[in-house]
Amino acid sequence: MGTNDEHLLRVSLETWRVESAPDLAEDEFFEFFSAEQALRAIANPDLSDVQSGLVDGSGDGGVDAIYVLVGSHVMTEDPPQSFLAGQDQVDLTLLLVQAKKKRGFAETPLQKLADTLSDILDLSKSLDLLRVSGLYSAILLDRISVFRACWEELVQMGKLSRVIVRIDYCAIGDAQRVSKGVSARATNVAHRVKSYGSSIDVSVRFLGAAELLALHRKRRRPPLRLDALATLEEDDASGYVALVSLEAYRAFLTDETGSERQYLYEENVRDFEGDVQVNRAIQETLSDDHAPSFWWLNNGITLVASRISRAGKTFMIDDAQIVNGLQTSRLLFRAAHVSIPKPNQTLLVRLIAESDATVRDRVIRSTNSQTAIKPGALLATDEFQRQLEEFFRVHGFYYERRKNQYRDSGHPLERIVTVTDLARAVRAIQGGEPDVARSKTWSLLRTPSDQARVFNPKRELKDYLCVIQVQRAVDDFMKTDPAVDAQYRVNLKFHVSCSVMAVKRRGWPSNAGLSPVHGWTPSREELEGAYAMTVDALQTYMSSNAEESLERIVKGPRFREHLKELHRGSRRRGR
C-alpha cells in the first residue's frame, strides 16, 4: 500500500503532465519532472537548460539526464570563459539523474551509473575510444565532451575549486526505506568516483515521493517577511526605505531548508563575481571590529515586488526580486555561519512596490547603470524584448525574456520559447548558420553586435514567429519520426531547419526578410526531404573526413558550406 505522498505525487504528476506536456508518455514526463527538480535544487535553470540534459534512450548508459555546471551556470555549448569574468575559483559540478517511476529503489540502476561514471571520469579513455565502443549515444557523448572540456579549461586557467559529482536517484517510493543492499551499492559508487581524484566531492541522493514533492513546492513563492529596525515611507505607500539588521536580511534570503532563495535573483542583471576587490572590501568590513556602521559603506539593496504590506516595522513582500545588491546578498548568505563582530550592524534596503513590467525594467536599468555589467545582462529590459513577448503571446507562444516567467505558471512546454531558443532559431533559419546555432547558446548574445544580429527592431516581428514555428516543426519531426537516426535528433536539427527553409526559399538563408513565408509550417513531405538531403550531405562529407567526430562536424563551418553547396547543386539540377 502506497503512502499519502506516493498517492499525491502520482495524481499531481498526471495533472501536470496533461497541463504542460500531454504528448509525453507518463514515464517520459516523470524523467523530465525529476530532472527539473534535481537541477533546480542547485541552480536556476530555464526550460532550455532542463531539456538540454535529457539523454534517456538507447545508449544512455543508465543516465536519464546529465548536467554540467560551472558555478551556478548550466553549461550547454558555451565555454567556461563566457561566465568567469572577474571570478576567481569556481566549482565544476556533474549532475546525473536516474528516474524510475517505480515504488522502490534498486541496485542495478546504480551499477549502470557507476560504470558510466567510470568512463566519464577516467580521462585516459579518450572520447574517440568511448565513441567507437558503441556503448553511448551521440547526445550523451556530447554532454561528456562538455564536462571534460570544462574540467580541462578550468584547470588550465587556474580557476577550478572542486569537482562535484551529484547522483540523484528518483522514484515514486519512500526514500527512507532504501534497502541495505541499495545503500551499500550507493556507498560503493561514491568510493569508486572518489578514486578518480581526491579533490572530487561526491554525493548520492535518493529522492522519493516526499522529497520530489518538497522540491516542487519550493517553486511556489509565498510572501516573504522582512523585519526592519527603522523605516521611511512614501506618501502613497508604493516605496519604502528601511534599515535592516544583517541577521534579519539573512533570514529573508534563507528558505525553510536553510538554502538560499535562488529565485530572488531572477531579474538581477549581474552574476556573483567571487573574490574580486569589491567583494573583498565587503568581507573586510564584516570582519572588522572597528569598521563604521555597515550601511555607511555599502550601497545597499534594491527590492522590487508586486505588492508590499507593512505592519509596524515588519514587511510582507509578494514576488520579491533583488534587482540591485546581489554581491552583498550573496556574501551575507555565505557568511551565515560566521559570527558578525557587531550584532547590530545594519543594511539599507529600498523596497519598491510595482507590478508594471515597464516600470520594473526602468528600475533595473537605472539601479545598474553606475558600474560596468556584462554585455547582454540588460537584454530582458529592452523595449524590443517586451514587444516580442507581447507578439508571441498573441500568437499562442510564451516568450520568456526573463527566466521561468511562464514555466512556473504551468503553460504547455511546447509553447514556451526561451531567449536562447529564439536566438539559435534566428541564426540557423534566417541567418543560414546552423553550425553556430548548434555550437552556442548564451554566447550568441555576448556583445551588442551579437545581439543586433538576432534582435533587430527593423526585422518584422512575424519573422521571429516564423523561425520558431519552423524550428518547432523540425524538432517534433526529429523526435517522433521513426526514420530519424537517434544520433541526429539533436546534432542535425538546426541543419535540417536551415535546409527546409533553403528549399522553400530556393536559396540559402542570408538574413533576408521572411515575409513570403509568414504563416508557413513545413509539411511532413518537406521535412522528410530536408532531412534526407541533410543526411546525404553528412554522409558524403564524412566519407572524406572520417577522422572528424559527428559533434565536431556539426559545430563547424566546413560542413555548413558543404551542405550549402549541395543545395546550390540541387537547384541547378532543377530539383
Side-chain angles (χ1 to χ4, degrees):
M1 180 177 178
T3 66
N4 285 341
D5 285 327
E6 291 176 34
H7 175 75
L8 289 171
L9 180 58
R10 289 182 186 277
V11 172
S12 299
L13 281 170
E14 183 57 17
T15 300
W16 297 329
R17 186 188 70 81
V18 171
E19 288 177 350
S20 61
D23 293 336
L24 288 183
E26 292 182 9
D27 287 347
E28 290 178 311
F29 184 74
F30 182 67
E31 290 166 3
F32 168 81
F33 172 81
S34 299
E36 185 177 37
Q37 306 319 307
L39 186 57
R40 280 194 166 197
I42 58 173
N44 184 29
D46 63 16
L47 180 58
S48 296
D49 292 330
V50 177
Q51 292 174 327
S52 72
L54 300 175
V55 295
D56 179 44
S58 177
D60 63 16
V63 180
D64 290 321
I66 176 172
Y67 300 99
V68 180
L69 296 90
V70 171
S72 60
H73 294 280
V74 180
M75 306 302 293
T76 48
E77 306 298 340
D78 302 314
Q81 299 96 306
S82 306
F83 306 105
L84 292 178
Q87 294 195 46
D88 188 10
Q89 299 282 297
V90 293
D91 292 335
L92 172 64
T93 302
L94 178 66
L95 170 64
L96 300 182
V97 181
Q98 171 62 256
K100 298 293 184 186
K101 199 180 178 195
K102 298 180 179 179
R103 292 195 58 208
F105 298 86
E107 295 183 44
T108 301
L110 288 171
Q111 182 58 53
K112 289 181 179 178
L113 283 175
D115 293 341
T116 300
L117 270 169
S118 292
D119 285 340
I120 294 174
L121 298 172
D122 186 351
L123 300 182
S124 69
K125 296 180 180 179
S126 68
L127 283 172
D128 285 338
L129 183 63
L130 297 182
R131 190 173 292 110
V132 299
S133 73
L135 294 174
Y136 303 119
S137 66
I139 184 60
L140 179 57
L141 287 168
D142 184 68
R143 297 297 88 198
I144 295 172
S145 174
V146 169
F147 171 70
R148 287 189 173 187
C150 288
W151 195 353
E152 292 170 359
E153 288 180 40
L154 289 173
V155 169
Q156 293 166 8
M157 296 166 67
K159 293 197 176 235
L160 181 63
S161 174
R162 296 177 300 168
V163 175
I164 301 172
V165 176
R166 294 179 62 122
I167 302 168
D168 284 354
Y169 184 176
C170 307
I172 297 288
D174 187 346
Q176 305 306 312
R177 296 184 178 181
V178 175
S179 71
K180 291 182 179 180
V182 172
S183 294
R185 180 69 66 180
T187 301
N188 290 337
V189 172
H191 287 320
R192 192 167 169 182
V193 169
K194 287 288 288 183
S195 70
Y196 290 97
S198 58
S199 63
I200 297 178
D201 287 350
V202 58
S203 63
V204 182
R205 294 195 309 171
F206 295 99
L207 302 179
E211 291 76 19
L212 290 171
L213 284 170
L215 286 171
H216 186 266
R217 280 194 293 269
K218 288 181 68 174
R219 290 167 56 175
R220 301 176 186 171
R221 300 173 184 180
L224 300 181
R225 173 174 174 160
L226 180 63
D227 294 317
L229 299 173
T231 66
L232 179 65
E233 178 181 346
E234 281 192 310
D235 291 339
D236 61 356
S238 62
Y240 304 85
V241 176
L243 276 180
V244 179
S245 74
L246 299 188
E247 291 297 339
Y249 188 66
R250 284 174 175 171
F252 172 78
L253 297 174
T254 307
D255 68 17
E256 62 277 3
T257 69
S259 301
E260 191 172 12
R261 300 184 197 273
Q262 299 287 345
Y263 64 81
L264 289 172
Y265 309 110
E266 284 182 350
E267 294 189 24
N268 201 290
V269 299
R270 299 180 185 274
D271 296 316
F272 183 58
E273 301 292 350
D275 187 25
V276 296
Q277 183 177 353
V278 171
N279 289 346
R280 287 195 294 271
I282 294 173
Q283 291 172 320
E284 289 168 4
T285 302
L286 287 173
S287 60
D288 186 353
D289 284 321
H290 304 290
S293 186
F294 185 80
W295 76 271
W296 295 7
L297 307 176
N298 186 274
N299 289 333
I301 308 296
T302 301
L303 286 169
V304 296
S306 61
R307 181 175 178 270
I308 300 172
S309 58
R310 187 183 69 154
K313 295 178 182 178
T314 296
F315 295 96
M316 295 303 294
I317 308 169
D318 290 352
D319 304 317
Q321 284 290 302
I322 298 169
V323 298
N324 193 259
L326 180 144
Q327 308 302 320
T328 298
S329 299
R330 293 285 201 192
L331 285 169
L332 286 173
F333 181 81
R334 281 161 173 71
H337 302 295
V338 178
S339 61
I340 295 177
K342 298 179 181 179
N344 60 344
Q345 284 279 38
T346 53
L347 179 69
L348 186 69
V349 181
R350 290 175 290 274
L351 302 100
I352 301 170
E354 183 55 69
S355 58
D356 187 298
T358 303
V359 177
R360 289 167 73 105
D361 287 343
R362 289 186 62 186
V363 172
I364 294 169
R365 281 188 170 273
S366 297
T367 56
N368 286 280
S369 61
Q370 295 86 1
T371 55
I373 58 175
K374 294 180 181 179
L378 289 170
L379 185 64
T381 67
D382 187 78
E383 175 62 26
F384 187 60
Q385 291 293 302
R386 187 162 32 253
Q387 292 174 4
L388 283 169
E389 180 187 0
E390 293 170 355
F391 181 80
F392 271 93
R393 189 165 56 238
V394 168
H395 290 84
F397 285 92
Y398 301 93
Y399 178 58
E400 291 193 329
R401 62 188 177 96
R402 284 199 174 91
K403 189 178 289 186
N404 294 319
Q405 68 185 99
Y406 291 111
R407 173 68 189 106
D408 289 336
S409 300
H411 292 288
L413 304 184
E414 64 179 13
R415 310 302 287 183
I416 293 175
V417 180
T418 67
V419 173
T420 53
D421 285 342
L422 186 54
R424 297 174 93 182
V426 168
R427 292 293 292 268
I429 299 169
Q430 193 163 16
E433 300 172 293
D435 54 312
V436 175
R438 177 65 185 88
S439 63
K440 297 182 179 181
T441 51
W442 274 109
S443 60
L444 290 171
L445 306 169
R446 183 182 301 164
T447 67
S449 60
D450 291 333
Q451 295 165 35
R453 294 184 70 174
V454 175
F455 299 116
N456 185 347
K458 294 181 180 179
R459 187 177 276 156
E460 287 190 70
L461 292 175
K462 289 182 179 180
D463 285 2
Y464 293 94
L465 178 64
C466 178
V467 297
I468 282 297
Q469 289 174 324
V470 171
Q471 190 61 58
R472 292 295 163 90
V474 170
D475 291 348
D476 182 67
F477 167 77
M478 299 289 279
K479 286 187 293 186
T480 61
D481 193 296
V484 173
D485 192 316
Q487 66 178 328
Y488 298 152
R489 286 174 185 161
V490 172
N491 281 313
L492 284 184
K493 69 176 189 175
F494 293 113
H495 293 79
V496 173
S497 60
C498 182
S499 288
V500 78
M501 181 61 76
V503 172
K504 184 69 174 178
R505 298 295 306 276
R506 301 187 62 78
W508 194 259
S510 57
N511 283 309
L514 300 178
S515 57
V517 292
H518 287 167
W520 165 68
T521 300
S523 67
R524 198 76 178 181
E525 182 180 0
E526 289 171 319
L527 292 168
E528 290 171 350
Y531 173 73
M533 179 177 286
T534 305
V535 172
D536 285 346
L538 178 66
Q539 291 174 345
T540 57
Y541 180 89
M542 294 182 76
S543 66
S544 56
N545 297 274
E547 74 285 354
E548 284 190 64
S549 68
L550 175 61
E551 293 81 10
R552 184 177 177 183
I553 289 170
V554 298
K555 294 179 181 180
R558 292 176 59 205
F559 173 59
R560 175 190 69 201
E561 292 304 311
H562 178 77
L563 179 60
K564 187 175 180 180
E565 185 57 37
L566 184 67
H567 276 272
R568 288 198 189 102
S570 177
R571 290 197 305 277
R572 285 195 294 267
R573 293 190 298 271
R575 287 174 56 185

